[in-house]
Amino acid sequence: MTVMLEIADLHVAYGQVEAVRGVTLSLHSGQIVSVIGPNGAGKTTLLAAAMGLLPARGVLRLDGQDLHALDVQTRVERGLCLVPEQRELFGALSVLDNLQLGAYVRRLRPEALRRRLQSVYERFPRLAERRAQRADTLSGGERQMLALGRALMSAPRLLMLDEPSLGLAPLIVREILAIVRQLRADGVSILLVEQNARAALESSDHGYVLETGEIALAGPSRALAQDPRVQATYLGAS
Ligand code: ATP
């Protein structure tokens, strides 16, 4: 397996305050890698820096290429895509319009756009049924599906998901994570940021624990889930 995303000694600051402090993390092609940790640990900041939404210092490479000099659009063209925590859908627009906006940066020909839309509808039949519905009338689970579907419209190779389980009922969380695993099977690599440590570790190959901007623990997800420190702090066991 080749290293797809390489992050080393990464620092990200808001003014004087460093939110990410020397993070080292790597993701191999075809993996689901999870980053778990409490509120305010720096998870969202890490993803924003990888996407190019925030300046960062340190090693940041995709497929061996330095990302620092590339703007967000170019990173999308290289196959990176971020699904933000707040989903950031256009509430007054239809499901279809939201999906089409996801492909906007890729400047697709109508035929390619149609094909991609078809594949998203096949993956999310519920979105197909609701294609004309306003996004702000969707349920929480449907909204997360729309956010994922919109991201897929940009044909990502590495999808970064910021708390896809946030605010969703356990059954819907399971459904969303099954879709994430299916995406991996279809060749999309996934960087999964979650406060729901149990769900994240169950669904990922490798995991990192981020605490106050630093990696506190890392390892294969199955081993991390057995780690007494992880169990006590993040899995609710004593
Ligand atoms: P959560 O799960 O609550 O979203 P997180 O792990 O994603 O947490 P971040 O949102 O990355 O954490 O925040 C990391 C730290 O950076 C926090 O201390 C936060 O208060 C701070 N921070 C985040 N955004 C800003 C900002 N725009 N300006 C200043 N500080 C910020």
Coordinates of all heavy atoms in Angstrom, one line a residue, residues 44-119:
T44 N -11.3 19.4 13.8 CA -11.8 20.2 12.6 C -10.7 21.0 12.0 O -10.5 21.2 10.8 CB -12.9 21.1 13.1 OG1 -14.0 20.2 13.6 CG2 -13.5 22.0 12.0
T45 N -9.8 21.6 12.9 CA -8.7 22.4 12.5 C -7.8 21.6 11.6 O -7.3 22.1 10.5 CB -8.0 23.0 13.7 OG1 -8.9 23.7 14.5 CG2 -6.8 23.9 13.3
L46 N -7.5 20.4 11.9 CA -6.6 19.5 11.2 C -7.2 19.3 9.8 O -6.4 19.4 8.8 CB -6.5 18.2 11.9 CG -5.6 17.1 11.3 CD1 -4.1 17.6 11.3 CD2 -5.7 15.8 12.0
L47 N -8.5 19.0 9.7 CA -9.1 18.8 8.4 C -9.1 20.0 7.5 O -8.8 20.0 6.3 CB -10.5 18.3 8.5 CG -10.7 16.9 9.1 CD1 -12.2 16.5 9.0 CD2 -9.8 15.8 8.5
A48 N -9.4 21.2 8.2 CA -9.4 22.4 7.5 C -8.0 22.8 6.9 O -7.9 23.3 5.8 CB -9.9 23.6 8.4
A49 N -7.0 22.5 7.6 CA -5.6 22.7 7.2 C -5.3 21.8 6.0 O -4.7 22.2 5.0 CB -4.6 22.5 8.3
A50 N -5.7 20.5 6.1 CA -5.4 19.6 5.0 C -6.1 20.0 3.7 O -5.6 19.9 2.6 CB -5.9 18.2 5.4
M51 N -7.3 20.6 3.9 CA -8.1 21.1 2.7 C -7.6 22.4 2.2 O -7.9 22.7 1.0 CB -9.6 21.2 3.2 CG -10.6 21.3 2.0 SD -10.6 19.7 1.1 CE -10.4 20.3 -0.5
G52 N -6.8 23.1 2.9 CA -6.2 24.4 2.5 C -7.1 25.6 2.9 O -7.0 26.7 2.4
L53 N -8.0 25.3 3.9 CA -8.8 26.4 4.4 C -8.1 27.2 5.4 O -8.5 28.3 5.8 CB -10.1 25.8 4.9 CG -11.0 25.1 3.9 CD1 -12.1 24.2 4.6 CD2 -11.6 26.1 2.9
L54 N -7.1 26.7 6.0 CA -6.3 27.4 7.0 C -4.8 27.2 6.7 O -4.4 26.1 6.2 CB -6.5 26.8 8.4 CG -7.9 27.0 9.1 CD1 -7.9 26.2 10.4 CD2 -8.0 28.5 9.5
P55 N -4.0 28.2 6.9 CA -2.6 28.0 6.7 C -2.0 27.0 7.8 O -2.4 27.0 8.9 CB -2.0 29.4 6.8 CG -3.0 30.2 7.6 CD -4.3 29.5 7.4
A56 N -1.0 26.2 7.4 CA -0.4 25.3 8.3 C 1.1 25.3 8.0 O 1.6 25.7 7.0 CB -1.0 23.9 8.1
R57 N 1.8 24.8 9.1 CA 3.3 24.6 9.0 C 3.6 23.2 9.2 O 3.1 22.6 10.1 CB 3.9 25.5 10.1 CG 5.3 25.9 10.0 CD 5.6 27.2 10.8 NE 5.0 27.1 12.2 CZ 5.6 26.4 13.2 NH1 6.7 25.7 13.0 NH2 5.0 26.4 14.4
G58 N 4.5 22.6 8.4 CA 4.9 21.2 8.6 C 4.7 20.5 7.3 O 4.4 21.1 6.2
V59 N 4.9 19.2 7.4 CA 4.7 18.3 6.1 C 3.3 18.1 5.9 O 2.5 17.6 6.8 CB 5.5 17.0 6.3 CG1 5.3 16.1 5.1 CG2 7.0 17.3 6.5
L60 N 2.9 18.3 4.6 CA 1.5 18.0 4.2 C 1.6 17.6 2.7 O 1.8 18.4 1.9 CB 0.7 19.3 4.4 CG -0.8 19.3 4.1 CD1 -1.5 18.2 4.9 CD2 -1.5 20.6 4.5
R61 N 1.4 16.3 2.5 CA 1.6 15.8 1.1 C 0.4 14.9 0.8 O 0.0 14.1 1.6 CB 2.9 15.0 1.0 CG 4.1 15.8 1.2 CD 5.4 15.1 0.6 NE 6.6 15.7 1.0 CZ 7.4 15.2 2.0 NH1 7.1 14.0 2.5 NH2 8.5 15.9 2.3
L62 N 0.1 15.0 -0.5 CA -0.9 14.0 -1.1 C -0.2 13.4 -2.2 O 0.3 14.0 -3.1 CB -2.2 14.8 -1.6 CG -3.3 13.9 -2.1 CD1 -4.0 13.1 -1.0 CD2 -4.3 14.8 -2.8
D63 N -0.2 12.1 -2.2 CA 0.5 11.3 -3.3 C 2.0 11.8 -3.4 O 2.5 11.9 -4.6 CB -0.2 11.4 -4.6 CG -1.7 11.0 -4.5 OD1 -2.0 10.0 -3.9 OD2 -2.5 11.8 -5.0
G64 N 2.6 12.1 -2.3 CA 4.0 12.5 -2.4 C 4.2 14.0 -2.8 O 5.3 14.5 -2.8
Q65 N 3.1 14.7 -3.1 CA 3.2 16.1 -3.6 C 2.9 17.0 -2.5 O 1.8 16.9 -1.8 CB 2.3 16.3 -4.8 CG 2.9 15.8 -6.1 CD 2.1 16.3 -7.2 OE1 0.9 16.4 -7.2 NE2 2.9 16.7 -8.3
D66 N 3.7 18.0 -2.3 CA 3.5 19.1 -1.3 C 2.2 19.8 -1.6 O 1.9 20.2 -2.7 CB 4.7 20.1 -1.3 CG 4.5 21.1 -0.3 OD1 3.8 20.8 0.7 OD2 5.1 22.2 -0.4
L67 N 1.3 19.9 -0.6 CA 0.0 20.6 -0.8 C 0.0 22.1 -0.4 O -0.8 22.8 -0.9 CB -1.0 19.9 0.1 CG -1.6 18.5 -0.3 CD1 -2.6 18.0 0.7 CD2 -2.2 18.6 -1.7
H68 N 1.0 22.5 0.3 CA 1.0 23.9 0.8 C 0.7 24.9 -0.3 O 0.0 25.9 0.0 CB 2.3 24.2 1.5 CG 2.4 23.6 2.9 ND1 1.6 23.8 3.9 CD2 3.3 22.6 3.3 CE1 1.9 23.1 5.0 NE2 3.0 22.3 4.6
A69 N 1.4 24.7 -1.4 CA 1.3 25.8 -2.4 C 0.0 25.7 -3.2 O -0.3 26.5 -4.0 CB 2.5 25.6 -3.4
L70 N -0.8 24.7 -3.0 CA -2.0 24.5 -3.8 C -3.3 25.1 -3.1 O -3.5 24.8 -1.9 CB -2.3 23.0 -4.0 CG -1.1 22.2 -4.6 CD1 -1.5 20.7 -4.9 CD2 -0.6 22.8 -5.9
D71 N -4.1 25.8 -3.8 CA -5.3 26.3 -3.2 C -6.4 25.3 -3.1 O -6.2 24.1 -3.6 CB -5.8 27.6 -4.0 CG -6.2 27.2 -5.5 OD1 -6.3 26.0 -5.8 OD2 -6.3 28.2 -6.3
V72 N -7.5 25.6 -2.5 CA -8.5 24.6 -2.2 C -9.0 23.9 -3.5 O -9.1 22.7 -3.6 CB -9.7 25.3 -1.5 CG1 -10.8 24.2 -1.3 CG2 -9.3 25.8 -0.2
Q73 N -9.3 24.8 -4.5 CA -9.8 24.2 -5.8 C -8.8 23.2 -6.4 O -9.2 22.1 -6.9 CB -10.0 25.4 -6.8 CG -10.0 24.9 -8.2 CD -11.2 25.4 -9.0 OE1 -11.9 26.3 -8.6 NE2 -11.4 24.8 -10.2
T74 N -7.5 23.5 -6.4 CA -6.6 22.6 -6.9 C -6.5 21.3 -6.1 O -6.4 20.2 -6.6 CB -5.2 23.2 -7.0 OG1 -5.3 24.5 -7.6 CG2 -4.2 22.4 -7.8
R75 N -6.7 21.4 -4.8 CA -6.7 20.2 -3.9 C -7.9 19.4 -4.3 O -7.8 18.1 -4.3 CB -6.7 20.6 -2.5 CG -5.4 21.3 -2.1 CD -5.3 21.6 -0.6 NE -4.3 22.6 -0.3 CZ -3.7 22.9 0.8 NH1 -4.0 22.1 1.9 NH2 -2.8 23.9 0.9
V76 N -9.0 20.0 -4.6 CA -10.2 19.2 -5.0 C -9.9 18.5 -6.3 O -10.2 17.4 -6.5 CB -11.5 20.2 -5.1 CG1 -12.6 19.4 -5.7 CG2 -11.9 20.8 -3.8
E77 N -9.3 19.2 -7.2 CA -8.9 18.6 -8.5 C -8.0 17.4 -8.3 O -8.0 16.5 -9.1 CB -8.3 19.7 -9.5 CG -9.4 20.6 -10.0 CD -8.7 21.9 -10.6 OE1 -7.5 22.0 -10.7 OE2 -9.5 22.8 -11.0
R78 N -7.2 17.5 -7.3 CA -6.3 16.3 -7.0 C -7.0 15.2 -6.3 O -6.4 14.2 -6.0 CB -5.1 16.8 -6.2 CG -4.2 17.9 -6.8 CD -3.2 17.2 -7.7 NE -2.7 18.3 -8.6 CZ -1.6 19.0 -8.4 NH1 -0.9 18.7 -7.3 NH2 -1.2 19.9 -9.2
G79 N -8.2 15.4 -5.9 CA -9.0 14.3 -5.4 C -9.3 14.4 -3.9 O -9.8 13.5 -3.3
L80 N -9.0 15.6 -3.3 CA -9.3 15.8 -1.9 C -10.7 16.4 -1.8 O -11.1 17.2 -2.6 CB -8.4 16.8 -1.3 CG -7.2 16.3 -0.4 CD1 -6.5 17.5 0.2 CD2 -7.6 15.3 0.6
C81 N -11.5 15.9 -0.7 CA -12.8 16.6 -0.5 C -13.1 16.5 0.9 O -12.9 15.5 1.6 CB -13.8 15.8 -1.4 SG -15.4 16.7 -1.3
L82 N -13.7 17.6 1.4 CA -14.0 17.7 2.8 C -15.6 17.8 3.0 O -16.2 18.6 2.3 CB -13.4 19.0 3.4 CG -13.8 19.4 4.9 CD1 -13.4 18.4 5.9 CD2 -13.2 20.8 5.2
V83 N -16.1 17.0 3.8 CA -17.5 17.1 4.2 C -17.5 17.7 5.6 O -17.2 17.1 6.6 CB -18.3 15.8 4.2 CG1 -19.7 15.9 4.6 CG2 -18.2 15.1 2.9
P84 N -17.9 19.0 5.7 CA -17.8 19.7 7.0 C -18.8 19.3 8.0 O -19.9 18.7 7.6 CB -17.9 21.2 6.6 CG -18.6 21.2 5.3 CD -18.3 19.9 4.6
E85 N -18.5 19.6 9.2 CA -19.4 19.1 10.3 C -20.8 19.7 10.2 O -21.7 19.0 10.5 CB -18.7 19.6 11.6 CG -19.4 19.2 12.9 CD -18.6 19.7 14.1 OE1 -17.3 19.6 14.1 OE2 -19.2 20.1 15.1
Q86 N -20.9 20.9 9.8 CA -22.3 21.5 9.7 C -22.9 21.2 8.4 O -24.0 21.8 8.0 CB -22.2 23.0 9.9 CG -21.6 23.4 11.2 CD -22.5 22.9 12.4 OE1 -23.7 22.7 12.3 NE2 -21.8 22.6 13.5
R87 N -22.4 20.2 7.6 CA -22.9 19.8 6.3 C -22.9 20.9 5.3 O -22.7 20.7 4.1 CB -24.3 19.2 6.4 CG -24.8 18.5 7.6 CD -24.0 17.3 8.1 NE -24.8 16.5 9.0 CZ -24.4 15.9 10.1 NH1 -23.2 16.1 10.5 NH2 -25.2 15.1 10.8
E88 N -23.2 22.1 5.7 CA -23.2 23.3 4.8 C -23.9 23.1 3.5 O -23.3 23.3 2.4 CB -21.7 23.8 4.6 CG -21.2 24.4 5.9 CD -19.7 24.7 5.9 OE1 -19.2 24.9 4.8 OE2 -19.2 24.9 7.0
L89 N -25.1 22.7 3.6 CA -25.9 22.5 2.4 C -26.6 23.8 2.1 O -26.7 24.7 3.0 CB -27.0 21.4 2.7 CG -26.4 20.1 3.0 CD1 -27.5 19.2 3.5 CD2 -25.7 19.5 1.8
F90 N -27.1 24.0 0.9 CA -27.9 25.1 0.6 C -29.4 24.8 0.8 O -30.0 24.1 0.0 CB -27.7 25.6 -0.9 CG -26.2 26.0 -1.1 CD1 -25.3 25.1 -1.6 CD2 -25.8 27.3 -0.8 CE1 -24.0 25.5 -1.7 CE2 -24.5 27.7 -1.0 CZ -23.6 26.8 -1.4
G91 N -29.9 25.3 2.0 CA -31.2 24.8 2.4 C -32.3 25.1 1.5 O -33.3 24.4 1.4
A92 N -32.3 26.3 0.9 CA -33.4 26.7 0.0 C -33.3 26.1 -1.4 O -34.3 26.2 -2.1 CB -33.4 28.2 -0.1
L93 N -32.2 25.4 -1.6 CA -32.1 24.7 -2.9 C -32.5 23.2 -2.8 O -32.5 22.7 -1.7 CB -30.7 24.8 -3.5 CG -30.1 26.2 -3.7 CD1 -28.7 26.1 -4.3 CD2 -31.0 27.0 -4.6
S94 N -32.8 22.7 -4.0 CA -33.3 21.3 -4.0 C -32.1 20.3 -3.8 O -30.9 20.7 -3.9 CB -33.9 20.9 -5.3 OG -33.0 21.0 -6.3
V95 N -32.4 19.1 -3.5 CA -31.4 18.0 -3.4 C -30.6 18.0 -4.7 O -29.4 18.0 -4.7 CB -32.1 16.7 -3.2 CG1 -31.2 15.5 -3.4 CG2 -32.7 16.6 -1.8
L96 N -31.3 18.0 -5.8 CA -30.6 18.0 -7.1 C -29.6 19.1 -7.3 O -28.5 19.0 -7.7 CB -31.6 17.9 -8.3 CG -31.0 18.1 -9.7 CD1 -30.1 16.9 -10.0 CD2 -32.2 18.1 -10.7
D97 N -30.1 20.3 -7.0 CA -29.2 21.5 -7.1 C -28.0 21.4 -6.2 O -26.9 21.7 -6.6 CB -30.0 22.8 -6.7 CG -31.0 23.2 -7.8 OD1 -30.9 22.7 -8.9 OD2 -32.0 23.9 -7.4
N98 N -28.2 20.9 -5.0 CA -27.1 20.8 -4.1 C -26.0 19.8 -4.7 O -24.8 20.0 -4.6 CB -27.5 20.3 -2.7 CG -27.9 21.4 -1.8 OD1 -27.0 22.0 -1.2 ND2 -29.1 21.8 -1.7
L99 N -26.5 18.7 -5.2 CA -25.6 17.7 -5.8 C -24.9 18.3 -7.0 O -23.7 18.1 -7.1 CB -26.4 16.5 -6.3 CG -27.0 15.6 -5.1 CD1 -27.9 14.5 -5.7 CD2 -25.9 15.0 -4.3
Q100 N -25.6 19.0 -7.8 CA -24.9 19.6 -9.0 C -23.8 20.6 -8.6 O -22.8 20.6 -9.2 CB -25.9 20.3 -9.9 CG -26.7 19.2 -10.7 CD -27.8 19.8 -11.6 OE1 -28.3 20.8 -11.3 NE2 -28.1 19.1 -12.7
L101 N -24.1 21.3 -7.5 CA -23.0 22.2 -7.0 C -21.8 21.5 -6.6 O -20.7 22.0 -6.7 CB -23.6 23.1 -5.9 CG -24.5 24.2 -6.3 CD1 -25.3 24.8 -5.1 CD2 -23.7 25.3 -7.0
G102 N -21.9 20.3 -6.1 CA -20.8 19.5 -5.7 C -19.8 19.2 -6.9 O -18.6 18.9 -6.7
A103 N -20.4 19.2 -8.1 CA -19.5 18.9 -9.3 C -19.0 20.2 -9.9 O -18.2 20.1 -10.8 CB -20.3 18.1 -10.3
Y104 N -19.4 21.3 -9.4 CA -19.1 22.6 -10.0 C -17.6 22.8 -10.3 O -17.2 23.1 -11.4 CB -19.7 23.7 -9.1 CG -19.4 25.1 -9.7 CD1 -20.1 25.5 -10.8 CD2 -18.5 25.9 -9.1 CE1 -19.9 26.8 -11.3 CE2 -18.3 27.2 -9.6 CZ -19.0 27.6 -10.7 OH -18.7 28.8 -11.3
V105 N -16.8 22.5 -9.3 CA -15.4 22.8 -9.5 C -14.7 21.9 -10.5 O -13.7 22.2 -11.0 CB -14.5 22.7 -8.2 CG1 -14.8 23.8 -7.3 CG2 -14.8 21.3 -7.5
R106 N -15.4 20.7 -10.8 CA -14.8 19.8 -11.7 C -15.1 20.1 -13.2 O -14.7 19.5 -14.1 CB -15.3 18.3 -11.4 CG -14.6 17.7 -10.2 CD -13.1 17.6 -10.5 NE -12.4 17.0 -9.4 CZ -11.9 15.8 -9.4 NH1 -12.0 15.0 -10.5 NH2 -11.2 15.3 -8.4
R107 N -16.0 21.1 -13.4 CA -16.4 21.6 -14.7 C -16.7 20.4 -15.7 O -16.0 20.2 -16.7 CB -15.3 22.4 -15.3 CG -15.0 23.7 -14.5 CD -14.1 24.6 -15.3 NE -13.4 25.5 -14.4 CZ -12.3 25.3 -13.8 NH1 -11.6 24.2 -14.0 NH2 -11.7 26.3 -13.0
L108 N -17.6 19.6 -15.3 CA -17.9 18.4 -16.1 C -18.8 18.7 -17.3 O -19.6 19.6 -17.3 CB -18.7 17.4 -15.2 CG -18.0 16.8 -14.0 CD1 -18.9 15.9 -13.2 CD2 -16.7 16.1 -14.4
R109 N -18.6 17.9 -18.3 CA -19.6 18.0 -19.4 C -20.9 17.4 -19.0 O -20.9 16.5 -18.1 CB -19.0 17.1 -20.6 CG -17.8 17.7 -21.3 CD -17.2 16.7 -22.2 NE -15.8 17.0 -22.3 CZ -15.3 17.8 -23.3 NH1 -16.1 18.3 -24.2 NH2 -14.0 18.1 -23.4
P110 N -22.0 17.8 -19.6 CA -23.3 17.4 -19.2 C -23.5 15.8 -19.1 O -24.1 15.3 -18.2 CB -24.3 17.9 -20.3 CG -23.5 19.1 -20.9 CD -22.1 18.8 -20.8
E111 N -22.8 15.1 -20.0 CA -23.0 13.7 -20.0 C -22.3 13.1 -18.8 O -22.8 12.2 -18.1 CB -22.4 13.1 -21.3 CG -22.4 11.6 -21.5 CD -23.8 11.0 -21.2 OE1 -24.8 11.7 -21.4 OE2 -23.8 9.8 -20.8
A112 N -21.1 13.6 -18.5 CA -20.3 13.1 -17.3 C -21.1 13.5 -16.0 O -21.1 12.7 -15.1 CB -18.9 13.7 -17.3
L113 N -21.7 14.6 -16.0 CA -22.4 15.1 -14.8 C -23.6 14.2 -14.6 O -23.9 13.7 -13.5 CB -22.9 16.5 -15.1 CG -23.7 17.2 -13.9 CD1 -22.8 17.4 -12.7 CD2 -24.3 18.5 -14.4
R114 N -24.3 13.8 -15.7 CA -25.5 12.9 -15.6 C -25.1 11.6 -15.1 O -25.7 11.0 -14.2 CB -26.1 12.8 -17.0 CG -27.6 12.4 -17.0 CD -28.0 12.0 -18.4 NE -27.2 11.0 -19.0 CZ -27.3 9.7 -18.7 NH1 -28.1 9.3 -17.7 NH2 -26.5 8.8 -19.2
R115 N -23.9 11.1 -15.6 CA -23.5 9.7 -15.1 C -23.1 9.8 -13.6 O -23.5 8.9 -12.9 CB -22.2 9.3 -15.9 CG -22.6 8.5 -17.1 CD -21.4 7.7 -17.5 NE -20.1 8.4 -17.6 CZ -19.7 9.1 -18.7 NH1 -20.4 9.1 -19.8 NH2 -18.6 9.8 -18.7
R116 N -22.5 10.8 -13.2 CA -22.1 10.9 -11.8 C -23.3 11.0 -10.9 O -23.4 10.4 -9.8 CB -21.1 12.1 -11.6 CG -20.3 11.9 -10.3 CD -19.1 12.7 -10.3 NE -18.1 12.3 -11.3 CZ -17.1 13.1 -11.6 NH1 -16.9 14.2 -11.0 NH2 -16.2 12.7 -12.5
L117 N -24.3 11.8 -11.4 CA -25.5 12.0 -10.6 C -26.2 10.6 -10.5 O -26.7 10.3 -9.4 CB -26.4 13.0 -11.4 CG -27.5 13.7 -10.6 CD1 -27.0 14.4 -9.4 CD2 -28.1 14.7 -11.6
Q118 N -26.2 9.9 -11.5 CA -26.8 8.6 -11.5 C -26.2 7.7 -10.5 O -26.8 7.0 -9.8 CB -26.7 8.0 -13.0 CG -27.6 6.7 -13.2 CD -29.0 7.0 -12.8 OE1 -29.6 8.1 -13.1 NE2 -29.7 6.0 -12.1
S119 N -24.8 7.7 -10.4 CA -24.1 6.8 -9.5 C -24.4 7.3 -8.0 O -24.5 6.4 -7.1 CB -22.6 6.8 -9.8 OG -22.0 7.9 -9.3

